[in-house]
Amino acid sequence: MSKENNSAMLRLKQDYLHLKMDPVPYVLAEPVPANFLEWHYVVKGPESTPYEGGYYHGKIIFPEEFPFKPPSIYMSTPNGRFCINARLCLSISDYHPETWNPAWNVSTILTGLLSFMIEKTPTLGSINTTDNEKKRLAMQSLEYNLKDKTFCELFPETVEAIKIELERRKGKRPDESR
């Protein structure tokens, strides 16, 4: 293991403990057990946004030089804001190493991602859709994520919450779903 990789691992483990003690609102994150440089996250759509009711899965790939170099950030779930499975151009991502601050941690990255998601500023990797399209994708996101093996392995509690919500939706009469 290189010195940078060891430094990145120590920092990421520290960030993980911090995140567990002080979670970011609306966001969960877990590292891949076999590769601590790859983390997956789930954003639960905040109330009073077009994303409300949705769950949005993505990943963050940290370089071996972290925290001195920024990560790559991807969104996996269709959401109406970001392209899926493409690197996102955010001030907290590897698209902008000149704006990266080594003091930023995983919580900072997740908070920034959520902030970028609910605003409308265009960026490379973003798409422009209507609020109605975002709401439609939010409703579809639950079943979409259940098809993702990594999502199901890393977020079993969220999987259970999604299954309960899907059952609740099935139990509603059509006139109650509005």
Side-chain angles (χ1 to χ4, degrees):
M1 184 181 295
S2 70
K3 185 176 181 182
E4 287 89 5
N5 192 328
N6 192 35
S7 174
M9 296 299 283
L10 288 172
R11 172 63 181 274
L12 288 169
K13 286 179 180 177
Q14 186 178 50
D15 284 1
Y16 183 71
L17 293 173
H18 174 76
L19 192 59
K20 289 300 177 190
M21 291 181 354
D22 188 17
V24 174
Y26 303 104
V27 187
L28 300 172
E30 291 291 333
V32 171
N35 179 7
F36 220 78
L37 294 175
E38 179 179 331
W39 287 46
H40 287 251
Y41 63 83
V42 178
V43 174
K44 183 176 182 197
E47 299 84 9
S48 303
T49 71
Y51 307 102
E52 182 175 357
Y55 288 85
Y56 306 95
H57 173 220
K59 68 181 176 181
I60 303 171
I61 306 296
F62 294 94
E64 288 189 4
E65 299 83 8
F66 183 79
F68 303 105
K69 289 189 177 179
S72 301
I73 303 172
Y74 301 82
M75 180 69 74
S76 304
T77 306
N79 55 78
R81 171 67 170 122
F82 297 121
C83 295
I84 61 168
N85 302 320
R87 279 177 46 231
L88 301 179
C89 176
L90 308 172
S91 60
I92 54 171
S93 75
D94 61 349
Y95 263 98
H96 292 285
E98 73 281 0
T99 62
W100 176 251
N101 182 339
W104 291 344
N105 59 25
V106 174
S107 293
T108 308
I109 295 164
L110 296 171
T111 301
L113 174 68
L114 177 63
S115 176
F116 274 102
M117 185 170 176
I118 59 177
E119 69 177 35
K120 296 185 180 196
T121 305
T123 185
L124 192 61
S126 70
I127 55 177
N128 188 18
T129 61
T130 64
D131 283 355
N132 283 339
E133 177 67 4
K134 289 176 179 77
K135 290 175 185 177
R136 185 183 67 76
L137 291 168
M139 292 303 104
Q140 293 175 350
S141 69
L142 285 72
E143 289 175 333
Y144 183 90
N145 288 323
L146 292 180
K147 297 174 187 170
D148 186 303
K149 181 182 174 204
T150 303
F151 176 88
C152 292
E153 287 174 356
L154 291 177
F155 303 102
E157 291 175 4
T158 302
V159 167
E160 287 308 309
I162 286 173
K163 288 178 179 177
I164 290 167
E165 174 59 17
L166 289 172
E167 283 303 311
R168 187 192 68 75
R169 288 181 188 176
K170 284 180 187 174
K172 275 189 168 181
R173 295 191 315 263
D175 61 323
E176 290 181 316
S177 63
R178 292 179 203 159

